[in-house]
Amino acid sequence: MKEIVPIPPAIVRNDAAAIQQLFKDNVVPSYARFDLALSHGSGSYVFDVAGKRYLDLGGGIAVCALGHANREITEALISQSQKLVHVSNLYYNEPQGRLAQALVKLIAPGKVFFCNSGAEANEGLYKLARKFGHDEGRFEILTTINSFHGRTLAGIAATGQEKVKKGFEPMVQGFRHLPFGDLEAMRSSISPATAAILVEGLQGEGGGVTPASPEYLLGLRRLCDEKRLLLMMDEVQCGHFRTGRFQSYQRILENVPGGEGFLPDAVSMAKSLGGGIPIGAFWVRAPYADVLGPGTHGTTFGGTPLACAVALKVLEVIERDRLADNARETGEYLKAELLRIAEKYPKIIKAVRGLGLMLGFELAADIPAFSANGKSASIQFTNRLHEAGVLAIPAAAQVIRLLPPLNLARREAEEGIRIIQSVVARLAS
Ligand SMILES: Cc1ncc(COP(=O)(O)O)c(C=O)c1O
């Protein structure tokens, strides 16, 4: 048999400048990237091409639920890829059916549609709402200011932030944005054309980690029942056990009178669902589960056996290793420590917000050590974290998000806190 000889790498592996040049020459410059070229990872750590180690408290923006190079994900990938990677949705395949069953079991009776990303999961929600309202001439979806729902044309129209829309006008019609948390504003904005309301359980990207209140969620449910609107939740970032329960609304409404009976009509998911393998999904509640009938919606790669087998493995590990409890407990530790740092250095950290392993800390205005180089405070702080060996995610101009793997160990959380505190202390001195 002919021996397969590995092709030599095209560039020297540890040459960050050569990698950056490849991007400069060949990759659409739509991302403002940090000056890091990453090469490999292991658990909660990633390494750059020069071998420097970083504690990854960003988790690939809430994606790497089991950390990096997870052995069980690798094994699931290998074993499924030896059987069936892709067949199209012209046929049935067992992993997709089993994953749908698992998600239905975790939420409530209903059905699931699979796709490839958060934006695409939300596209499904917009189409669900339009189809639902169509025969009565209803098409409008109300969303919130500072929301983030993805970068497709309808996604930027749904998103309540001007900066994502700029240059792409005219916007897709049928979206209006109301202040997050303001139930009365939502109520008074409902028109005869309104079909649905879409909110995040915790605003991540735009809101800099701002949880919805229990009263807001319960009020939205009542409002949607009263006006016959779909209540749709974007759990792309805040879902999948990140807050300590499967979906963030379950955590927010925990021990709240009336909270256990709360159920949205549809939920979008992605990010942690595949632990790093691209997969998105939306669940729709039983009475509306057949609104999108044959021929109304589809996507070639949605729910491939490969992605679904991995997502099933991620769910299995989360359950077996009680990672929801870990997210809750390690999150509480991190939040308490961040609050302690904020109390000690109020001129650097102004506020700490979030639930479980979706945390944000807001930087104080006008930190003197930051230079007037046009870069936001959150970017400058993140650069300093990188220098000190931690990855974290900036949100808006002033907030740093922590979205680490759900299996982040206590000693890793302690290491993260030590490094964050050292960066804060240096800024304060
Ligand atoms: C709440 C929320 N919705 C939707 C999206 C879009 O997901 P994707 O980037 O996978 O399209 C994101 C991504 O950050 C998100 O945070």
Side-chain angles (χ1 to χ4, degrees):
M1 215 167 72
K2 204 174 138 202
E3 220 172 285
I4 299 168
V5 180
I7 300 163
I11 51 170
V12 179
R13 272 193 49 196
N14 66 359
D15 189 348
I19 294 171
Q20 288 189 15
Q21 195 60 43
L22 285 175
F23 274 64
K24 216 168 159 206
D25 294 343
N26 305 290
V27 178
V28 170
S30 64
Y31 299 100
R33 291 176 205 271
F34 287 106
D35 213 7
L36 292 185
L38 300 176
S39 123
H40 60 286
S42 174
S44 300
Y45 294 93
V46 285
F47 298 81
D48 67 18
V49 291
K52 179 174 169 181
R53 192 179 85 155
Y54 303 83
L55 176 66
D56 187 1
L57 297 183
I61 322 187
V63 167
C64 306
L66 305 184
H68 299 278
N70 178 275
R71 182 182 54 79
E72 289 177 281
I73 288 185
T74 305
E75 282 169 7
L77 269 171
I78 291 171
S79 102
Q80 184 58 44
S81 68
Q82 287 167 335
K83 286 191 270 184
L84 203 55
V85 170
H86 172 85
V87 281
S88 91
N89 281 302
L90 293 173
Y91 316 103
Y92 298 97
N93 72 79
E94 185 175 347
Q96 185 178 141
R98 287 207 179 280
L99 181 60
Q101 179 190 43
L103 297 176
V104 165
K105 222 164 147 190
L106 281 163
I107 304 181
K111 288 181 183 169
V112 179
F113 177 90
F114 290 103
C115 52
N116 307 286
S117 69
E120 202 188 353
N122 286 335
E123 286 286 334
L125 297 190
Y126 314 141
K127 284 183 72 176
L128 174 78
R130 286 220 174 175
K131 199 81 171 59
F132 163 77
H134 185 265
D135 293 349
E136 297 170 354
R138 299 195 286 156
F139 60 90
E140 190 179 60
I141 301 170
L142 304 181
T143 74
T144 58
I145 292 170
N146 281 333
S147 58
F148 184 80
H149 298 297
R151 295 288 194 155
T152 56
L153 266 188
I156 60 174
T159 292
Q161 300 181 62
E162 282 314 305
K163 68 173 190 227
V164 304
K165 305 174 196 275
K166 225 170 140 205
F168 298 104
E169 302 86 352
M171 284 293 109
V172 172
Q173 282 185 10
F175 294 94
R176 276 189 295 135
H177 316 298
L178 290 312
F180 186 63
D182 189 339
L183 196 57
E184 279 320 301
M186 204 60 100
R187 175 182 287 281
S188 59
S189 298
I190 293 169
S191 80
T194 308
I197 291 174
L198 172 66
V199 291
E200 292 155 88
L202 286 89
Q203 286 190 332
E205 210 90 19
V209 190
T210 311
S213 70
E215 300 72 36
Y216 186 52
L217 292 182
L218 292 173
L220 287 177
R221 182 65 274 176
R222 277 195 302 274
L223 189 56
C224 287
D225 288 343
E226 193 186 310
K227 304 283 186 187
R228 282 196 316 110
L229 311 179
L230 293 183
L231 176 57
M232 312 195 296
M233 295 207 56
D234 180 338
E235 292 272 348
V236 166
Q237 184 169 155
C238 55
H240 224 68
F241 302 100
R242 185 152 292 282
T243 60
R245 293 285 295 270
F246 182 47
Q247 302 297 358
S248 71
Y249 62 80
Q250 296 168 320
R251 173 76 202 269
I252 293 167
L253 291 166
E254 216 172 55
N255 305 322
V256 172
E260 280 310 310
F262 175 93
L263 199 57
D265 297 306
V267 175
S268 58
M269 297 164 255
K271 290 195 180 273
S272 286
L273 180 59
I277 299 303
I279 180 168
F282 69 83
W283 166 91
V284 47
R285 194 158 73 88
Y288 312 111
D290 295 331
V291 165
L292 291 173
T296 57
H297 196 42
T299 176
T300 296
F301 291 116
T304 64
L306 189 71
C308 291
V310 171
L312 278 165
K313 180 56 74 180
V314 171
L315 278 177
E316 182 193 317
V317 174
I318 288 174
E319 198 174 319
R320 184 197 67 204
D321 296 349
R322 303 174 61 87
L323 296 186
D325 293 344
N326 188 59
R328 183 185 294 258
E329 287 152 21
T330 308
E332 269 161 23
Y333 163 78
L334 283 171
K335 191 172 181 184
E337 286 296 298
L338 289 170
L339 282 164
R340 181 186 57 73
I341 298 172
E343 206 168 296
K344 192 163 174 200
Y345 300 101
K347 292 202 168 118
I348 309 296
I349 297 185
K350 187 177 152 192
V352 179
R353 295 188 287 271
L355 286 170
L357 290 177
M358 180 167 179
L359 296 170
F361 54 92
E362 186 174 342
L363 300 168
D366 304 323
I367 295 175
F370 286 153
S371 37
N373 58 5
K375 294 201 168 129
S376 68
S378 57
I379 300 283
Q380 294 196 49
F381 192 93
T382 304
N383 276 325
R384 287 175 183 242
L385 284 177
H386 291 171
E387 280 163 29
V390 159
L391 300 189
I393 314 288
Q398 295 292 128
V399 178
I400 307 294
R401 268 178 299 172
L402 305 185
L403 301 155
L406 303 181
N407 57 3
L408 185 78
R410 178 61 173 255
R411 68 181 154 69
E412 293 165 343
E414 287 167 0
E415 180 188 345
I417 288 296
R418 270 198 308 279
I419 295 175
I420 291 168
Q421 173 152 348
S422 73
V423 168
V424 170
R426 237 170 292 137
L427 283 172
S429 63

